[in-house]
Amino acid sequence: MLAYIIRRLLYAIPILIGVNLLTFTLFFVVNTPDDMARMQLGIKRVTPEAIQKWKAERGYDKPLLYNGTAEGAGKITRTIFFEKSVKLFVFDFGRADDGRDIGHEIRMRMGPSLAIAVPAFILGLFVTISFALLLAFFRATYLDFWGVVMCVAMMSISSLFYIIGGQYLVSKVWHLVPISGYAGGLDAGRFLLLPVLISVVAGIGSSTRWYRTIFLEEIGKDYVRTARAKGLSEMAVLFRHVLKNAMIPILTGAVVVIPLLFMGSLLIESFFGIPGLGSYTIDAINAQDFAVVRSMVFIGSVLYIAGLLLTDLSYTLVDPRVRLQ
Amino acid sequence: MRNFQRHACLLALVAFLSGCGEVWNNPYPTQDSGKNILYSAFTERPKHLDPVQSYSEDEAEFNAQVYEPPLQYHYLKRPYTLIPLTAETVPRPRTVDAAGRDVPADSPRVAYTHYDIRIRPGILYQPHPAFARGPDGKLLYHGLTQDDLRDIYSLRDFPHSGTRELTAEDYIYQIKRLAHPRLHSPVYGLMSEYIVGLKEFAEALKAEDRALAAAGRQHAWLDLSKIPLAGVELTGKYSYRIRIKGRYPQFAYWLAMNFFAPVPIEADRFYAQPGMADKNLILDWYPVGTGPYMLTENNPNARMVLERNPNYRGEAYPGEGEERDAAAGLLADAGKRLPFIDKVVFSREREGIPYWNKFLQGYYDFSGISSDSFDQAVRISVEGEAGVSPEMTAKGIKLETSVGTATRYFAFNWLDPVVGGGQADAAARERAKKLRQAISIALDWEEFISIFANGRGIPAQGPIPPGIFGFRAGDAGINPVVYDWVGDAPRRKSLEAARKLLVDAGYPNGRDAKSGQPLVLYLDTTDRGPGDKPRLDWYRKQFAKLSIQLEVRGTDYNRFQEKVRKGAAQIFVWGWNADYPDPENFLFLFHGPQSRAKFQGENAANYTNPEYDRLFEQVKHMENGAARQALIDRMMAILREDAPWSFGFHPKDYSLHHGWVANLKPNHMARNGLKYQKIDAAQRERQRAVWNRPVLWPLGLMAALLAAGAAPAVIGWRRREQSRGRA
């Protein structure tokens, strides 16, 4: 098992370099260091000297990927790509292009992102699995038919509609919770109620259909027939046997997103004024802050790789037949 | 056990709801209810709060309440008038010759202008740890080690703070900071052209900085006080002199901007200590000033809070203004001590919908009006007067309108061979001019304002907006190339006139008379999203009126800027907001030596006209008066004839505020208006309670619907279980 984990972690290194290179290329295809300087320095009365100084101070005055004027390894190391990327691998994110500490920002914003993402994830999982089991129980009946119709309808609606509709009804018309905002501690509850609810509702359609398909596949298997033949109640068959055996595909979808919960939700955080990592990323993209974009993409990649590893490890817990070598 | 769980849930719900107070949707802590707090919002996080770097409106909203330059604009008077802020009087510029002898302002011997500024004694800085002193009189926090900083994350974590009196040295220190090699003051380039010795000072600082870097101390504090700046002189504890090369009457306006606000050397040293920047403890994050407010919370992800500066000296509310101000109740507080509001909470709102709805619920005290909410908020009367809608009137919401000190325009690149005016051949120049004039007539800006700005703008007759010296209203102020004066209003010339000009330009029916090829022009714009399509179609339609094909080249802002910078854009849409209320700040946009493509200046159209340039050199140094107006009139005539821009419109600002906000008057120059504003917090509390009563029946309805939805499932489940049991 340990050898497997080490091997997977080593695989991660070229993946991270690749992701970093891709982000770097995409970013600099759209933005030149001059553009970044102008964005930070403003558009009024900015002199070419000020732009040069800004770039020099932040190391953006070097070639992007290959430095033909340098000697030896300097051809690679004295480039923007190398200098900006290498520190990421020891999680030194450095400073944003506006001079602020990225690590500090990430630490500050992780809490609000998790405050929405974790309850939304757990509640969403519970609701969708329960609903999917219910539909599987009533398979091929009107309840199942209308349940699926409802799911298709729900998954066809944009999440933006849920957000705006939810804010309009719950906050504006019924005055039950604040429309947007955030507070620390216990007071956060009133600000999180609606975004969490909307996150769960917005995910019901697609997730329920996915889990229903998994459960229906399991229900048709021999061991279920055997369990029924033993005289077990349908409840026991579903929860004790079907759910347990459907865990592998459920875990495939669920565990991989657990680390990504840290990254926050771009839309929800933006509309509800939650100062999380999702809105941090959006702000950085709008401000053409490469340092932040690069850091967030890197963290996202690391978390995704960690999620995939965790998924594989979780298989061994739910299925004794799985051995990782 | 089940009963216990039910009771626990009920108790948690009660505790949760009781935390919400009388209304449940209040986004602010209940303990703040009824307090003298103003609530506002910001969309973009400020990039800079360092007064030497900050140059945008959204940053000034905070900085202008904290920092106090020597001068300010009168809050109520129009046209905009400079008055003292920390200075005792508005300095009278003194012109001298090269030997330092006084000479008249219009003398050709003028070599320098002296601004002698005397500040008031007794002004104190806000409480700040940079000023904290121990019992021995030594500064407490100026030798911090990494250990000392271990548990420090914000200024609040320093147990002690102190203050000191504002002196003239602090103003000098800030002027020196304009040339700081590690800061990037956007006005350094301009100021180095005027302030005597600023360039040399910057070179000396660079050398000092290089020496520090060579010694391995590249982040060490750069002591600006050690190096003298020839053009700024300390003449007393409370007085200093700024020496300007030649004459630059507009310099007084700069003295009302944060670039010339005081920065205490203690703060600069305090923030420069090793380890401070790693914790965002920098002047760019935590301003230090003498103004009515101090920034006590800076979390630009969520909220920023200004609180009353306990050391503020107090300033009196103005006793005079425009004629209508008394009737509007704006003079009712004359002579009262400022500021009126204890605390201002700015919440981050990235999206317009929550912002607007929270304003309607009374959780923001004022709001702008987006296009989406315009019809809900505003009604235009048959006379064309804007007022609030009945829905807003019922809530006591009021509308303030004002014409901004800005101009939006269509620019023709002077370097372009088709629409520009830089051709060697006089006939070709004339053809291009006629083409620009024809397009200027065809572009129906009245229609544009009506369709795309909800009527919020007035068509521009030239670059200078109303309220700025040089603007002429009425018949005398119209652009005769584009408008006729009919009755008592300007009327855009007919399309026939435009078509005739087009024929004269050599493009009858939009085709080149020689080659027969259709005339295709290119518009560079940053509008390229689906929401921009109607506007782009409108542009095409305007050119199509003259049978000219318009190719729109949508691009991102960076590419757009680059094309303009290189002079590669043929026609483009842009705008200009005034830095200060002087015509020079608009006229310089056409000054040849400030061409964007040639000299990286602000003349984005790269327009050049020797007569205009000569007049500009005269006008920029003149005091406002009849002589200056006459020259400006001539310059306007040149611009209208040459038509390097199709003068678009001057935007009108519409803003809403609740009835409990008082003393609100739009001021496009002064950003320090918070100290004049007042709120009736008790009235706000009552209105919030009325507008935000929780509606509970939907909760019951939802529970009933859920139960109704679950019932068939439960019944079906039971039936199945029973049938299985029987089987």
Side-chain angles (χ1 to χ4, degrees):
Chain A
M1 171 84 92
L2 188 64
Y4 175 82
I5 293 172
I6 291 169
R7 197 166 67 244
R8 287 290 300 269
L9 290 177
L10 289 175
Y11 286 162
I13 293 171
I15 294 172
L16 288 173
I17 292 172
V19 167
N20 216 9
L21 184 64
L22 198 64
T23 314
F24 182 87
T25 310
L26 287 175
F27 189 92
F28 283 101
V29 162
V30 180
N31 306 288
T32 64
D34 278 50
D35 298 336
M36 294 161 64
R38 280 177 196 284
M39 185 60 102
Q40 291 302 324
L41 297 173
I43 54 168
K44 263 186 167 181
R45 302 183 191 277
V46 179
T47 59
E49 294 77 38
I51 289 170
Q52 274 312 114
K53 257 164 54 175
W54 186 93
K55 289 193 303 183
E57 278 174 14
R58 286 159 180 80
Y60 290 117
D61 57 338
K62 298 185 177 68
L64 291 175
L65 289 162
Y66 181 77
N67 189 345
T69 59
E71 294 293 324
K75 288 182 190 296
I76 300 298
T77 57
R78 296 188 64 191
T79 59
I80 298 177
F81 176 70
F82 188 85
E83 290 188 356
K84 300 290 174 192
S85 304
V86 78
K87 285 182 179 170
L88 289 178
F89 285 85
V90 288
F91 294 93
D92 177 1
F93 302 115
R95 295 185 170 278
D97 287 338
D98 62 4
R100 286 159 192 175
D101 182 17
I102 297 173
H104 175 76
E105 288 277 334
I106 291 173
R107 285 192 296 277
M108 293 269 293
R109 288 166 174 265
M110 201 180 277
S113 280
L114 286 174
I116 291 187
V118 171
F121 173 73
I122 294 170
L123 202 63
L125 212 57
F126 175 75
V127 169
T128 49
I129 287 178
S130 306
F131 193 35
L133 278 171
L134 192 76
L135 294 184
F137 180 78
F138 288 107
R139 61 196 169 280
T141 65
Y142 280 112
L143 267 175
D144 181 32
F145 175 79
W146 286 110
V148 172
V149 167
M150 196 181 83
C151 286
V152 172
M154 288 180 83
M155 64 191 279
S156 308
I157 296 170
S158 155
S159 55
L160 200 62
F161 178 86
Y162 290 108
I163 293 171
I164 295 174
Q167 283 185 328
Y168 179 80
L169 276 181
V170 181
S171 301
K172 193 188 172 189
V173 179
W174 299 337
H175 308 135
L176 296 176
V177 291
I179 289 179
S180 66
Y182 187 73
L186 282 176
D187 206 27
R190 357 190 244 116
F191 295 98
L192 297 175
L193 201 65
L194 186 59
V196 167
L197 191 72
I198 286 173
S199 300
V200 171
V201 171
I204 284 178
S206 53
S207 299
T208 303
R209 285 202 62 204
W210 163 239
Y211 294 137
R212 175 183 167 276
T213 311
I214 294 167
F215 294 142
L216 285 182
E217 198 180 320
E218 286 297 322
I219 278 173
K221 289 187 176 167
D222 289 345
Y223 72 89
V224 176
R225 199 174 302 123
T226 311
R228 286 200 187 114
K230 276 198 316 189
L232 289 179
S233 70
E234 194 66 13
M235 183 86 101
V237 171
L238 282 177
F239 282 92
R240 221 181 286 160
H241 294 279
V242 174
L243 182 59
K244 211 181 255 181
N245 282 288
M247 281 313 265
I248 290 260
I250 291 175
L251 286 174
T252 306
V255 179
V256 76
V257 299
I258 291 175
L260 290 174
L261 299 178
F262 287 91
M263 300 299 288
S265 158
L266 305 183
L267 266 184
I268 291 268
E269 286 182 12
S270 197
F271 269 83
F272 286 96
I274 309 288
L277 288 171
S279 52
Y280 187 44
T281 312
I282 284 280
D283 285 351
I285 292 168
N286 289 336
Q288 295 173 12
D289 194 326
F290 176 60
V292 177
V293 172
R294 179 193 66 213
S295 302
M296 294 310 294
V297 172
F298 183 82
I299 295 174
S301 314
V302 169
L303 291 173
Y304 195 70
I305 290 166
L308 290 172
L309 184 58
L310 278 179
T311 308
D312 289 351
L313 296 178
S314 67
Y315 292 162
T316 61
L317 298 176
V318 296
D319 191 342
R321 292 169 300 179
V322 177
R323 290 282 182 272
L324 301 176
Q325 290 175 346
Chain B
M1 186 67 184
R2 238 180 221 180
N3 271 346
F4 171 76
Q5 281 174 344
R6 270 183 203 162
H7 288 147
C9 285
L10 203 62
L11 207 65
L13 188 68
V14 168
F16 174 74
L17 295 179
S18 63
C20 303
E22 195 180 340
V23 290
W24 294 9
N25 62 350
N26 186 353
Y28 309 117
T30 40
Q31 61 268 27
D32 284 350
S33 299
K35 286 190 181 166
N36 185 17
I37 301 173
L38 185 85
Y39 292 100
S40 184
F42 63 106
T43 311
E44 293 291 326
R45 58 185 286 170
K47 278 183 196 150
H48 298 292
L49 293 177
D50 187 327
V52 87
Q53 294 174 292
S54 166
Y55 201 9
S56 75
E57 296 265 336
D58 48 352
E59 293 158 2
E61 199 167 4
F62 305 101
N63 265 357
Q65 325 309 327
V66 177
Y67 287 108
E68 290 192 304
L71 305 181
Q72 65 179 334
Y73 290 95
H74 195 284
Y75 184 54
L76 302 175
K77 281 186 186 172
R78 301 291 182 277
Y80 296 107
T81 311
L82 282 177
I83 57 169
L85 180 55
T86 57
E88 288 191 334
T89 56
V90 175
R92 269 186 67 83
R94 194 160 63 86
T95 42
V96 298
D97 64 11
R101 288 181 299 251
D102 283 3
V103 289
D106 55 356
S107 165
R109 289 188 296 128
V110 171
Y112 302 105
T113 306
H114 290 181
Y115 285 83
D116 287 297
I117 300 160
R118 185 167 181 80
I119 58 163
R120 291 170 209 188
I123 296 173
L124 295 177
Y125 279 101
Q126 65 179 75
H128 193 278
F131 301 119
R133 288 180 186 273
D136 55 355
K138 284 187 180 165
L139 290 163
L140 270 179
Y141 303 121
H142 280 242
L144 296 172
T145 61
Q146 293 293 335
D147 270 359
D148 296 330
L149 285 172
R150 190 178 302 134
D151 298 323
I152 303 282
Y153 295 98
S154 78
L155 290 186
R156 286 180 186 168
D157 298 327
F158 290 97
H160 302 285
S161 64
T163 184
R164 79 153 165 81
E165 191 185 18
L166 172 74
T167 65
E169 265 182 307
D170 302 332
Y171 284 96
I172 294 176
Y173 194 77
Q174 166 71 348
I175 295 171
K176 288 181 171 180
R177 293 181 80 242
L178 292 173
H180 199 298
R182 294 180 211 154
L183 304 172
H184 302 282
S185 180
V187 299
Y188 164 72
L190 178 76
M191 287 302 145
S192 66
E193 297 297 320
Y194 288 106
I195 298 176
V196 174
L198 195 62
K199 268 185 193 161
E200 293 75 11
F201 178 75
E203 289 306 317
L205 281 184
K206 271 186 203 166
E208 180 79 11
D209 194 35
R210 279 195 295 268
L212 282 173
R217 300 172 59 215
Q218 55 267 41
H219 299 300
W221 179 56
L222 198 53
D223 187 357
L224 310 185
S225 63
K226 283 199 311 192
I227 304 168
L229 169 57
V232 186
E233 185 186 344
L234 186 71
T235 51
K237 187 180 178 187
Y238 302 111
S239 58
Y240 62 107
R241 172 179 297 157
I242 304 174
R243 208 146 58 102
I244 297 294
K245 292 174 202 164
R247 290 169 57 222
Y248 183 37
Q250 292 78 25
F251 185 71
Y253 296 117
W254 289 100
L255 293 175
M257 294 191 204
N258 52 241
F259 299 111
F260 288 85
V263 166
I265 189 169
E266 294 93 331
D268 203 32
R269 270 184 70 186
F270 170 79
Y271 286 124
Q273 294 177 91
M276 297 287 266
D278 295 335
K279 301 196 168 192
N280 281 343
L281 295 171
I282 48 177
L283 195 62
D284 211 18
W285 193 268
Y286 291 108
V288 189
T290 57
Y293 293 100
M294 51 189 195
L295 189 69
T296 53
E297 186 179 337
N298 183 4
N299 179 4
N301 313 323
R303 67 179 210 158
M304 296 174 75
V305 178
L306 291 170
E307 285 184 70
R308 188 190 282 265
N309 170 9
N311 298 335
Y312 185 57
R313 64 192 177 283
E315 195 185 335
Y317 187 89
E320 50 183 349
E322 287 183 292
E323 271 181 34
R324 57 188 174 167
D325 289 345
L330 286 166
L331 297 178
D333 290 313
K336 286 187 185 164
R337 191 182 160 90
L338 302 176
F340 294 116
I341 292 164
D342 294 335
K343 187 174 170 182
V344 188
V345 175
F346 296 89
S347 303
R348 179 92 187 261
E349 287 291 355
R350 289 179 180 80
E351 303 294 335
I353 295 172
Y355 188 171
W356 174 244
N357 287 329
K358 279 163 91 171
F359 169 70
L360 293 182
Q361 291 176 334
Y363 295 124
Y364 288 131
D365 293 321
F366 30 68
S367 166
I369 310 173
S370 67
S371 296
D372 295 337
S373 47
F374 189 85
D375 291 339
Q376 188 188 352
V378 177
R379 289 286 179 277
I380 307 288
S381 69
V382 284
E383 295 84 24
E385 286 293 311
V388 286
S389 64
E391 186 192 343
M392 300 296 120
T393 309
K395 282 179 168 273
I397 290 171
K398 293 174 182 168
L399 174 73
E400 298 289 342
T401 64
S402 60
V403 180
T405 48
T407 304
R408 303 277 173 268
Y409 58 88
F410 236 73
F412 301 102
N413 182 5
W414 211 248
L415 306 176
D416 184 80
V418 180
V419 299
Q423 301 91 330
D425 176 22
R429 281 202 300 274
E430 189 63 18
R431 282 182 63 191
K433 185 177 83 179
K434 301 267 187 199
L435 175 61
R436 291 191 302 272
Q437 289 178 343
I439 294 170
S440 297
I441 294 171
L443 277 165
D444 188 347
W445 288 104
E446 289 79 1
E447 189 180 84
F448 183 93
I449 295 165
S450 166
I451 296 173
F452 300 105
N454 300 108
R456 287 177 283 183
I458 59 168
Q461 304 292 337
I464 302 175
I468 305 279
F469 182 83
F471 173 84
R472 276 192 187 272
D475 189 5
I478 66 160
N479 178 355
V481 174
V482 177
Y483 289 92
D484 293 316
W485 188 259
V486 181
D488 58 354
R491 190 171 69 190
R492 186 171 286 277
K493 285 184 189 289
S494 67
L495 275 178
E496 280 313 308
R499 288 193 187 110
K500 186 174 176 314
L501 282 166
L502 200 64
V503 172
D504 294 346
Y507 301 104
N509 296 318
R511 286 181 178 272
D512 190 317
K514 284 181 189 161
S515 66
Q517 293 297 310
L519 175 61
V520 183
L521 297 180
Y522 300 93
L523 172 75
D524 278 278
T525 174
T526 52
D527 297 342
R528 53 187 182 148
D532 300 320
K533 192 174 178 302
R535 196 162 40 244
L536 299 178
D537 286 344
W538 184 86
Y539 293 146
R540 288 192 192 96
K541 192 180 128 198
Q542 303 308 302
F543 282 74
K545 286 181 200 167
L546 301 177
S547 306
I548 298 173
Q549 291 179 31
L550 183 72
E551 287 281 328
V552 176
R553 293 167 164 173
T555 182
D556 61 85
Y557 194 59
N558 289 331
R559 295 287 83 70
F560 172 75
Q561 273 192 304
E562 193 182 343
K563 287 180 93 170
V564 173
R565 203 163 52 244
K566 290 179 175 169
Q570 188 179 55
I571 305 173
F572 53 94
V573 191
W574 225 347
W576 178 259
N577 290 315
D579 291 310
Y580 43 79
D582 189 88
E584 181 266 351
N585 199 231
F586 287 91
L587 298 175
F588 89 121
L589 299 172
F590 302 94
H591 188 213
Q594 307 208 40
S595 157
R596 175 66 56 91
K598 292 178 186 164
F599 310 108
Q600 295 296 301
E602 294 295 342
N603 175 2
N606 304 302
Y607 173 67
T608 178
N609 180 311
E611 188 190 356
Y612 181 91
D613 290 348
R614 185 176 52 74
L615 290 169
F616 177 77
E617 292 296 341
Q618 281 179 268
V619 160
K620 74 172 184 179
H621 290 143
M622 291 171 81
E623 299 290 337
N624 289 343
R628 197 181 198 205
Q629 181 68 59
L631 292 187
I632 290 173
D633 288 345
R634 175 64 198 138
M635 293 168 82
M636 287 297 110
I638 295 170
L639 289 180
R640 285 161 181 160
E641 177 66 17
D642 280 351
W645 290 2
S646 163
F647 305 107
F649 64 100
H650 308 297
K652 253 180 164 176
D653 288 345
Y654 282 30
S655 68
L656 297 170
H657 63 91
H658 285 289
W660 56 73
V661 183
N663 297 343
L664 199 65
K665 181 172 179 176
N667 188 321
H668 294 281
M669 286 296 136
R671 310 284 182 252
N672 60 350
L674 272 179
K675 62 186 174 187
Y676 304 104
Q677 290 165 24
K678 204 168 79 167
I679 54 157
D680 182 345
Q683 187 197 346
R684 179 174 62 190
E685 209 52 37
R686 286 194 299 274
Q687 296 291 74
R688 279 183 184 174
V690 172
W691 295 342
N692 297 290
R693 272 193 204 107
V695 181
L696 295 174
W697 63 261
L699 290 179
L701 182 69
M702 272 195 286
L705 282 175
L706 274 176
V714 173
I715 293 166
W717 184 287
R718 282 196 177 157
R719 268 194 201 149
R720 277 207 188 184
E721 290 296 300
Q722 282 163 6
S723 65
R724 282 170 62 84
R726 278 197 296 274

